[in-house]
Structures are given as structure tokens and as C-alpha cells.
Amino acid sequence: MSDGKKTPVAIFVFKRPQHTARMLEALARNPELAELPLFIFCDGARREDEKAAVEATRSIVRDFAHPAKTVVERETNSGLAASIIEAVSNLCSNHGRVIVLEDDLVVSNGFLGFMLKALDRYENDPQVMQVSGHAFPVESFGDTDPVLFLPFISSWGWATWDRAWSAFDTKAEGWQALLLDRALARSFDIGGVYPYSAMLAAQMEGRIDSWAIRWNWSVFRSQGCVVYPPVSLVTNVGFDGSGTHRSANAKFEAQSVADAATITFLDPPSAPDREDERFRLVQASVKAMQGNPLKQFAKRLLWLYVRRRILKSPVRGN
């Protein structure tokens, strides 16, 4: 078993000083933080008009008191995807595992305790590829309920091990199968409730730049799962239009944070049970968070259009 005190915490910030301050203030309320190495990655400005906000964010990071803090200030802009892939790869290689946060996340004071317990508990279980601090809201779930094992990842406060991250495929090999196999695409889309297939196609066409959708595909292809708390230990406060992939959306801000001390840990099943009642409740929650059914239908039509166009392309799958 690894020593939880050596697990690095990696934080990615850019040009949102207020978000960064709020995130660090919440993280500091976790008593475990003082014993963990802290790495903060500050991306560079893309344009002249971003430099003031970038510098204000870095000032907050520099002033944050921590006994084992490493701050990386990039002169140029790498983008979130490249920054996370590089840093997580290096930290996993050097430390065996890592806990990851972005600047728009506010965590509970039980967040690190839960992450460290889960990292230790499932360290040698090849099926479990990620630990999530975020959970989708299900009214009947409480903080004395057991953890869940779900076949998709979360990017809102997470952790992984080197043995799992080594399966991360930046090229998303085999993604074209989603265009040809509708049952496979539906499975990847959590039973058709979230447009992961369309997102991966957009990634591979160069229309978005997402590490998370490629990581999700890597976990899916490996038939892995992610361990989730029954209640969320993370709130995303970035839906104010200030982030790279964010838009104003109050639905996600309604997420509550909780103390993790009473959460029950279980051994993972041989495979995530998609017929399990708890899975179905999460599935319904994800679907409800998509908003207007007409918009969901429009997204589905767009995916079908993209699928047809790619299939007709003479250079499919590049």
C-alpha cells in the first residue's frame, strides 16, 4: 500500500483569480493537505488582454502558504488538455498516483480524506481506473451509503494511478467503431443519455480539445470503472462563462458538498452493472441535467449528421 502522505495534489489554474482563491481556501480546510506535496500549474496568457488576469492568479498562488509547494509558471499557453496530460503523466510516473483539481472547483473538507482512502483501497485493483470526488445528484443517496462503480469518468476533482493512466490513449485508437456500431455508441453514451460519442468525434475532427473525452474512451475500451462517492464532495462554480469549456448553467452549481467520513467502501463488481437500480438512478440524473428534451433531440440529430458525414468522408478516421 502506498503512503497517502506522498500522494501529490495537482492544481491547474489560468486567468481566474477569484475562482483560484476560492478553490485554494476550500482545499486548505482539508487537514491532509499540509502533509501532501502540492503542484500548481499556471498556464500562460494567449493574448495581451489576458496578461493582467494571469498575473493576478499567479499572485494568489504564490501567496498560498504550503510547506511543500511547487509552482510551475508557463511563459506560453499550453491549453488545459496538454497541460493536464503532461503533468498527470509526469506525476504518475514519479509518484505512482495523483489527485487533480482545476481552478473552478470547490471541495468539501472531506475531499482529500475520501480520495486518499479510495486510492489506497483500490490501488491494486486493475478494474478501478479512477476515483471521482464529484457525484451526480440523486435525492435518495446519502453520505452513509456505499460508493458506486460507474463505467465513465468525471473531470471535476479526480485521482488515478500510474497503472491506470498508462492506458490513456491520446490518439483514441478504435474510436471509429462508434460510427459503425450503434449499440457500442449507445453504451459509451451511458445508455444514450449523454453525447460522449459526438464529443469524441468532435475531438478527433479537431473541433474541440479535450483530454477528458479521450480518457473516458480509454477507460471504456479497457472495460474499467470509476469509483464515485454517493454524494458530491465537489461543487463546480465555473459555469459563469469564465472558463474554456464553461457556460452559464446554474444546474451544476446546485451540487452540494459533504463530509466523507461515513461513506462505505465496497469491493468493485466484476463489471459495472448497467441494470443495477443505483446505476439507473445516476443515469436518470445525468439525463435530467441535459436540460430541455428538445435540445437533447437536437444534439442527437447533430450526432447522426456528423456520423453520416464522417462515414462518407474519403479520409475517415484521421
Side-chain angles (χ1 to χ4, degrees):
M1 181 179 294
S2 298
D3 181 358
K5 293 184 177 182
K6 296 180 181 179
T7 303
V9 177
I11 297 174
F12 296 86
V13 305
F14 179 30
K15 63 182 181 84
R16 295 189 284 184
Q18 293 181 337
H19 291 75
T20 299
R22 185 174 176 182
M23 179 269 298
L24 290 172
E25 180 181 335
L27 185 61
R29 289 194 285 269
N30 284 248
E32 300 85 357
L33 181 64
E35 303 297 325
L36 304 177
L38 179 64
F39 294 82
I40 306 180
F41 299 89
C42 309
D43 211 355
R46 296 167 297 189
R47 305 180 303 270
E48 186 67 29
D49 62 357
E50 292 180 335
K51 288 185 176 180
V54 166
E55 182 55 34
T57 303
R58 294 182 178 193
S59 179
I60 289 169
V61 166
R62 294 178 194 129
D63 290 343
F64 182 68
H66 188 275
K69 180 180 71 175
T70 300
V71 179
V72 178
E73 298 182 0
R74 302 190 186 280
E75 295 183 6
T76 58
N77 185 268
S78 299
L80 182 61
S83 296
I84 285 183
I85 292 170
E86 179 185 4
V88 171
S89 297
N90 289 337
L91 290 171
C92 277
S93 178
N94 292 330
H95 297 266
R97 55 189 190 172
V98 63
I99 298 170
V100 183
L101 288 166
E102 295 177 33
D103 60 7
D104 54 6
L105 303 175
V106 175
V107 302
S108 77
N109 58 11
F111 170 77
L112 286 180
F114 173 81
M115 302 302 276
L116 292 170
K117 287 179 183 178
L119 283 168
D120 281 343
R121 175 69 182 263
Y122 305 108
E123 181 171 22
N124 297 314
D125 192 314
Q127 186 186 355
V128 181
M129 298 182 71
Q130 188 193 70
V131 180
S132 174
H134 167 258
F136 296 94
V138 176
E139 287 186 5
S140 60
F141 291 176
D143 57 9
T144 59
D145 287 334
V147 295
L148 296 93
F149 299 94
L150 301 173
F152 53 89
I153 67 106
S154 172
S155 61
W156 295 355
W158 58 283
T160 192
W161 305 263
D162 186 51
R163 58 142 179 97
W165 189 251
S166 63
F168 179 47
D169 178 13
T170 58
K171 296 181 179 179
E173 295 288 348
W175 75 273
Q176 300 94 333
L178 295 170
L179 304 172
L180 304 170
D181 188 336
R182 294 191 179 188
L184 182 71
R186 183 175 177 80
S187 180
F188 187 52
D189 293 348
I190 322 176
V193 302
Y194 197 85
Y196 282 134
S197 297
M199 290 175 64
L200 186 55
Q203 169 67 41
M204 303 316 293
E205 285 195 303
R207 291 187 286 115
I208 63 172
D209 185 21
S210 170
W211 65 271
I213 190 60
R214 288 176 282 171
W215 174 228
N216 199 35
W217 176 246
S218 301
V219 171
F220 181 80
R221 286 200 76 195
S222 300
Q223 298 184 325
C225 66
V226 175
V227 57
Y228 283 79
V231 290
S232 191
L233 309 177
V234 180
T235 300
N236 190 320
V237 296
F239 289 93
D240 53 5
S242 64
T244 303
H245 305 297
R246 304 290 186 241
S247 60
N249 188 333
K251 292 178 182 292
F252 294 93
E253 292 191 39
Q255 297 269 350
S256 62
V257 293
D259 186 351
T262 56
I263 294 174
T264 305
F265 287 89
L266 300 174
D267 291 333
S270 57
D273 184 359
R274 293 173 180 267
E275 302 302 319
D276 178 76
E277 178 63 19
R278 298 179 85 208
F279 176 83
R280 289 187 177 278
L281 289 171
V282 172
Q283 189 181 42
S285 174
V286 174
K287 183 176 182 179
M289 293 171 80
Q290 299 306 298
N292 190 314
L294 289 177
K295 290 184 179 180
Q296 295 179 42
F297 180 65
K299 288 180 181 179
R300 179 63 182 165
L301 288 179
L302 178 60
W303 161 235
L304 292 174
Y305 165 76
V306 169
R307 175 180 175 273
R308 183 178 180 182
R309 179 171 56 76
I310 295 175
L311 284 172
K312 287 185 173 182
S313 171
V315 231
R316 190 180 77 213
N318 58 358

